[in-house]
């Protein structure tokens, strides 16, 4: 044993606990590795060692041991370099680290070069007393065991999280803005009414014409806490990789993140990021196709139609005009009928008012024609006439939907659709049987030819005949399949898509949000003619076909 009575060791007690250790509390390890337990053990150890003087302790709470990118550990190394300490003491080697290569490098190379004494109490290791071959062998072995423990634990935790994600259970440390964890079930999300109100406002403002930057500016002006600050104000120890000095503000990026997150539809969206392995903690972004999305796991904050409308807006080029804070109602949805280019808004002067001011009237024209008159014609239409045409068409469409819903409601209570569906099933079954039969006959032709039952000419003739018959039956099968889809009320009879229109009955004026909610695009032809493509057009056409099919069936029954 080395004589050390005249040497004073100014010592930094180092404590570390990771989130993984906390998860092992059920096994008793969470408590044994707690900071308070580590502190008590070290203080008791140095009581009868006058040569060890405890200095400022360093604590890494919530940091993994597989790498050394830990703030307290880095500060401790700075203290070593500054000559403030010359000894480091830990509860055991696993508290110092779990990467056996790095741990060995520090203990066997770096610390000896710096003249630092290292003590791991529970492993009975003290660098000033450890010169035996047993220590030289056991130290790397213990480090390797700690490293393996971290690897096995990482695999186990990843597997458990993967199972939970696929079941739609929320496994994140922090919820998305607008939700909070259910008190009775931490894997389930419930609506945070205050934050959810802000989310609804953000969607509404975007549909009304404000861009992301303007929305962020408005929220900051109103004094609304940003998502990061709101988490902190709620008592959560939230940290981000984009830490800045001072109070975090709303940004256009934060607004866009809210506007594109499917969590607000009631879906659990997880697995957006991953790490290469248990030693490398740098997050890697995964493609949207790799995300794990489980639908309808909690109450939605935003309706599907409003969410879809916002996604369309985000894809549009809707820059605001000079001195304007919001985009115009038709921006981004007007299309030239001939060149398919965007229509642009312009002002034309026409006389003066009583005060002598020049009257200006807005109109739309083909953007390609504006840039090059030879590319396309103007397709000019006044904004006033466009608004009148759109308003009239929307109101007419809504009245049609009211009548259509009444008809569908009546049909839903009749048994005719059920019998028609059964009839369709039987027809499809018979058609498929005929197709299989004809394909078997085609195959048998070659056997008959080989046995000399038929000639080559007869084989060719029969083959062409069977081929044509199969094609006819396949067309019939395709028609019956389409008819079967039309006979299914499950999607069409749900009135959510109709309600989107019906709540705007008897419109007298248009707003940006109404236009985006109801209309997909507007095609502008020459001489002021327009064609309006409504949202949910597929549902509308399918509903009409259902009614037509039923009416045809009723007519056939009368004739029969």
């Amino acid at each position: 044993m080395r004589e050390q009575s005249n040497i004073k060791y100014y010592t930094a007690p180092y404590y570390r606990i990771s989130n993984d250790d906390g998860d092992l509390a059920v096994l008793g390890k969470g408590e044994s590795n707690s900071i308070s337990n580590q502190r008590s053990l070290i203080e008791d150890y140095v009581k009868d060692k006058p040569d060890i003087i405890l200095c400022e302790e360093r604590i890494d709470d919530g940091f993994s041991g597989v790498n050394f990118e830990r703030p307290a550990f880095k500060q401790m190394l700075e203290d070593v370099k500054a000559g403030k300490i010359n000894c480091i003491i830990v509860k055991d080697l696993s508290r110092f680290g779990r990467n056996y290569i790095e741990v060995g490098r520090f203990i066997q190379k770096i610390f000896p070069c710096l003249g630092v004494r290292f003590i791991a109490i529970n492993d009975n290791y003290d660098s000033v007393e450890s010169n035996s071959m047993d220590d030289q062998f056991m130290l790397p072995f213990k480090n390797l065991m700690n490293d393996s423990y971290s690897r096995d634990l990482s695999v186990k935790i990843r597997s458990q999280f993967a199972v939970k994600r696929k079941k739609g259970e929320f496994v994140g440390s922090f919820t998305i803005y607008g939700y909070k964890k259910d008190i009775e079930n931490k894997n389930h999300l419930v609506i945070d009414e205050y934050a959810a109100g802000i989310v609804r406002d953000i969607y509404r403002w975007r549909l009304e014409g404000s861009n992301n930057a303007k929305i962020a500016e408005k929220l900051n002006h109103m004094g609304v806490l940003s998502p990061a600050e709101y988490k902190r104000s709620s008592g959560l120890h939230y940290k981000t990789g984009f830490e800045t000095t001072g109070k975090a503000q709303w940004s256009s990026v934060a607004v866009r993140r809210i506007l594109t997150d499917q969590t607000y539809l009631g879906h659990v969206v997880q697995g957006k990021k991953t790490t290469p392995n248990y030693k490398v903690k740098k997050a890697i972004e995964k493609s949207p196709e790799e995300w794990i999305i489980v639908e309808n796991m909690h109450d939605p904050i935003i309706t599907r139609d409003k969410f879809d409308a916002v996604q369309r807006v985000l894809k549009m080029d809707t820059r605001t005009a000079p001195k304007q804070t919001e985009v115009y109602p038709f921006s981004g949805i007007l299309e030239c009928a001939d060149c398919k280019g965007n229509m642009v808004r312009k002002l034309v002067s026409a006389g003066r008012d009583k005060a002598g001011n020049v009257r200006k009237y807005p109109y739309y024209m083909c953007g390609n024609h504006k840039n090059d008159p030879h590319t396309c014609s103007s397709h000019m239409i006044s904004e006033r006439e466009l608004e009148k045409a759109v308003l009239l068409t929307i109101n007419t469409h809504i009245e049609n939907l009211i009548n259509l819903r009444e008809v569908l409601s009546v049909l839903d209570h009749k048994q005719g659709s059920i019998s028609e569906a059964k009839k369709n099933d039987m027809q499809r079954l018979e058609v498929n049987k005929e197709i299989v039969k004809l394909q078997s006959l085609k195959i048998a032709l070659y056997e008959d030819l080989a046995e000399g039952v038929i000639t080559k000419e007869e084989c060719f003739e029969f083959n062409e005949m069977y081929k044509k018959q199969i094609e006819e039956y396949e067309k019939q099968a395709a028609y019956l399949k389409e008819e079967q889809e039309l006979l299914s009320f499950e999607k069409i009879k749900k009135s959510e898509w109709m309600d989107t229109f019906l709540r705007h009955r008897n419109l007298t004026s248009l707003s940006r949000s109404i236009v985006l909610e109801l209309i997909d695009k507007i095609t502008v032809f020459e001489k002021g003619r327009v064609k309006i493509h409504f949202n949910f057009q597929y549902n509308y056409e399918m509903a009409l076909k259902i009614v037509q099919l039923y009416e045809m069936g009723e007519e056939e029954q009368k004739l029969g």
Side-chain angles (χ1 to χ4, degrees):
M1 181 181 293
R2 180 179 171 181
E3 181 62 41
Q4 43 184 314
S5 59
N6 296 325
I7 302 176
K8 297 296 183 183
Y9 289 98
Y10 296 92
T11 307
Y14 178 70
Y15 314 121
R16 183 190 65 81
I17 186 170
S18 71
N19 294 328
D20 294 343
D21 294 319
D23 291 336
L24 296 176
V26 292
L27 302 177
K29 293 185 178 181
E31 177 57 32
S32 67
N33 285 330
S34 68
I35 300 299
S36 60
N37 180 277
Q38 294 176 58
R39 182 183 290 112
S40 298
L41 184 71
I42 291 175
E43 289 177 348
D44 185 65
Y45 176 80
V46 301
K47 278 182 181 179
D48 58 349
K49 295 177 176 57
D51 59 323
I52 298 178
I53 302 170
L54 294 181
C55 301
E56 185 175 359
E57 60 185 21
R58 296 300 178 187
I59 305 173
D60 278 319
D61 192 347
F63 289 87
S64 171
V66 297
N67 66 69
F68 289 88
E69 294 299 314
R70 315 173 214 149
F73 184 84
K74 288 182 176 180
Q75 184 58 54
M76 184 172 63
L77 290 184
E78 292 300 319
D79 292 341
V80 169
K81 294 175 183 177
K84 295 180 180 179
I85 60 173
N86 59 353
C87 179
I88 295 172
I89 185 171
V90 294
K91 175 200 166 193
D92 55 42
L93 290 170
S94 70
R95 296 306 90 202
F96 183 71
R98 291 188 181 275
N99 184 321
Y100 82 98
I101 294 177
E102 289 298 304
V103 171
R105 190 169 69 90
F106 272 103
I107 296 176
Q108 296 177 315
K109 292 184 179 180
I110 296 177
F111 289 163
C113 289
L114 295 175
V116 174
R117 179 182 181 184
F118 180 78
I119 301 171
I121 299 172
N122 284 353
D123 290 304
N124 296 316
Y125 180 83
D126 186 339
S127 61
V128 299
E129 299 177 350
S130 178
N131 292 313
S132 67
M133 290 299 296
D134 289 343
D135 286 334
Q136 295 299 318
F137 173 75
M138 289 302 297
L139 183 64
F141 180 74
K142 288 181 179 179
N143 289 333
L144 181 59
M145 291 298 294
N146 288 329
D147 191 304
S148 299
Y149 172 82
S150 282
R151 183 188 64 248
D152 293 342
L153 182 62
S154 174
V155 171
K156 179 181 178 182
I157 292 175
R158 282 181 183 237
S159 299
Q160 290 175 341
F161 279 175
V163 171
K164 286 178 175 288
R165 290 189 183 105
K166 289 178 181 178
K167 291 169 61 178
E169 297 183 22
F170 181 77
V171 297
S173 300
F174 302 97
T175 63
I176 187 175
Y177 185 76
Y179 287 98
K180 56 186 178 182
K181 292 184 180 181
D182 191 336
I183 297 176
E184 297 180 359
N185 179 7
K186 68 177 182 179
N187 299 124
H188 180 252
L189 301 181
V190 294
I191 293 177
D192 179 341
E193 289 301 337
Y194 169 77
I198 302 299
V199 171
R200 295 187 187 101
D201 286 339
I202 290 173
Y203 274 78
R204 176 169 58 82
W205 292 333
R206 195 63 174 90
L207 288 177
E208 288 174 351
S210 295
N211 60 35
N212 297 352
K214 292 292 182 182
I215 293 174
E217 183 181 327
K218 185 173 185 176
L219 290 168
N220 288 327
H221 180 73
M222 293 169 58
V224 177
L225 292 177
S226 67
E229 292 298 331
Y230 183 71
K231 287 183 176 72
R232 295 188 184 105
S233 72
S234 301
L236 301 175
H237 300 292
Y238 180 72
K239 297 178 182 179
T240 175
F242 301 96
E243 294 289 348
T244 57
T245 56
K247 183 179 177 181
Q249 297 287 302
W250 282 94
S251 66
S252 59
V253 174
V255 171
R256 184 178 182 85
R257 191 178 294 121
I258 286 175
L259 291 173
T260 56
D261 201 311
Q262 296 182 62
T263 305
Y264 298 114
L265 292 172
H267 309 337
V268 174
V269 184
Q270 300 181 109
K272 292 183 177 182
K273 298 180 181 180
T274 187
T275 54
N277 53 55
Y278 71 104
K279 290 185 178 181
V280 181
K281 296 302 180 182
K282 183 179 180 180
I284 299 174
E285 299 283 347
K286 298 172 70 175
S287 63
E289 294 77 20
E290 297 178 284
W291 296 354
I292 300 175
I293 302 176
V294 184
E295 298 184 354
N296 305 318
M297 295 302 297
H298 51 261
D299 293 334
I301 293 175
I302 302 298
T303 60
R304 166 56 76 176
D305 55 310
K306 186 166 290 187
F307 183 87
D308 290 342
V310 167
Q311 305 319 300
R312 291 196 303 274
V313 172
L314 294 174
K315 294 177 182 178
M316 296 176 184
D317 181 9
T318 51
R319 290 166 289 184
T320 56
K323 299 182 181 179
Q324 293 289 328
T325 58
E326 297 180 351
V327 297
Y328 297 109
F330 298 111
S331 294
I333 67 169
L334 294 178
E335 175 189 85
C336 173
D338 293 327
C339 70
K340 307 304 179 184
N342 291 328
M343 304 287 287
V344 295
R345 188 178 188 271
K346 292 293 176 184
L347 294 176
V348 60
S349 300
R352 296 179 180 272
D353 58 20
K354 294 180 179 180
N357 299 316
V358 177
R359 291 193 182 96
K360 292 186 177 182
Y361 297 95
Y363 69 95
Y364 289 92
M365 69 180 297
C366 174
N368 290 330
H369 172 80
K370 174 181 174 293
N371 296 327
D372 182 2
H374 300 290
T375 303
C376 190
S377 55
S378 67
H379 293 73
M380 187 179 295
I381 183 172
S382 74
E383 188 175 68
R384 182 178 179 183
E385 291 302 316
L386 178 62
E387 287 178 351
K388 287 171 59 178
V390 172
L391 194 59
L392 175 62
T393 308
I394 288 176
N395 282 322
T396 301
H397 189 67
I398 290 174
E399 291 304 314
N400 291 338
L401 284 174
I402 292 173
N403 296 330
L404 182 59
R405 186 162 71 168
E406 291 176 355
V407 174
L408 288 174
S409 178
V410 172
L411 294 184
D412 195 27
H413 291 85
K414 290 189 175 183
Q415 297 299 314
S417 61
I418 298 175
S419 62
E420 285 296 319
K422 290 181 178 179
K423 179 182 175 182
N424 180 280
D425 287 338
M426 293 298 295
Q427 288 176 331
R428 290 175 65 193
L429 182 62
E430 291 300 321
V431 168
N432 288 330
K433 283 182 179 179
E434 287 299 321
I435 292 174
V436 172
K437 178 182 175 182
L438 288 167
Q439 288 173 340
S440 298
L441 288 173
K442 279 187 67 178
I443 295 172
L445 284 175
Y446 298 100
E447 295 177 0
D448 293 342
L449 177 63
E451 295 175 1
V453 177
I454 59 176
T455 64
K456 288 184 178 180
E457 290 75 14
E458 289 174 330
C459 180
F460 177 79
E461 184 179 344
F462 280 118
N463 186 67
E464 287 298 310
M465 182 181 68
Y466 293 151
K467 181 180 178 182
K468 288 180 180 179
Q469 289 178 346
I470 289 173
E471 288 175 352
E472 290 298 321
Y473 277 119
E474 286 177 342
K475 287 180 182 178
Q476 190 175 349
Y479 172 78
L480 290 170
K481 183 180 179 182
E482 180 183 355
E483 186 181 61
Q484 180 66 26
E485 292 176 355
L486 294 174
L487 289 170
S488 175
F489 280 91
E490 291 308 311
K491 291 183 179 180
I492 302 303
K493 72 182 181 181
K494 292 179 180 178
S495 61
E496 288 91 341
W497 66 276
M498 289 190 181
D499 292 339
T500 301
F501 288 89
L502 299 187
R503 61 171 167 260
H504 296 298
R505 190 178 184 183
N506 299 322
L507 274 178
T508 58
S509 62
L510 294 175
S511 67
R512 174 70 174 172
S513 59
I514 290 175
V515 170
L516 292 173
E517 192 174 5
L518 304 184
I519 298 174
D520 179 38
K521 68 177 179 179
I522 300 173
T523 304
V524 182
F525 298 82
E526 284 286 12
K527 299 181 180 179
R529 187 168 67 89
V530 298
K531 180 179 180 181
I532 299 173
H533 307 264
F534 288 107
N535 292 328
F536 307 106
Q537 189 65 25
Y538 173 79
N539 297 53
Y540 179 68
E541 292 174 359
M542 287 284 285
L544 288 177
K545 287 183 179 180
I546 287 173
V547 175
Q548 291 170 1
L549 279 172
Y550 183 81
E551 290 175 346
M552 288 172 60
E554 291 277 281
E555 192 65 28
E556 287 177 2
Q557 288 181 5
K558 289 179 182 178
L559 294 174

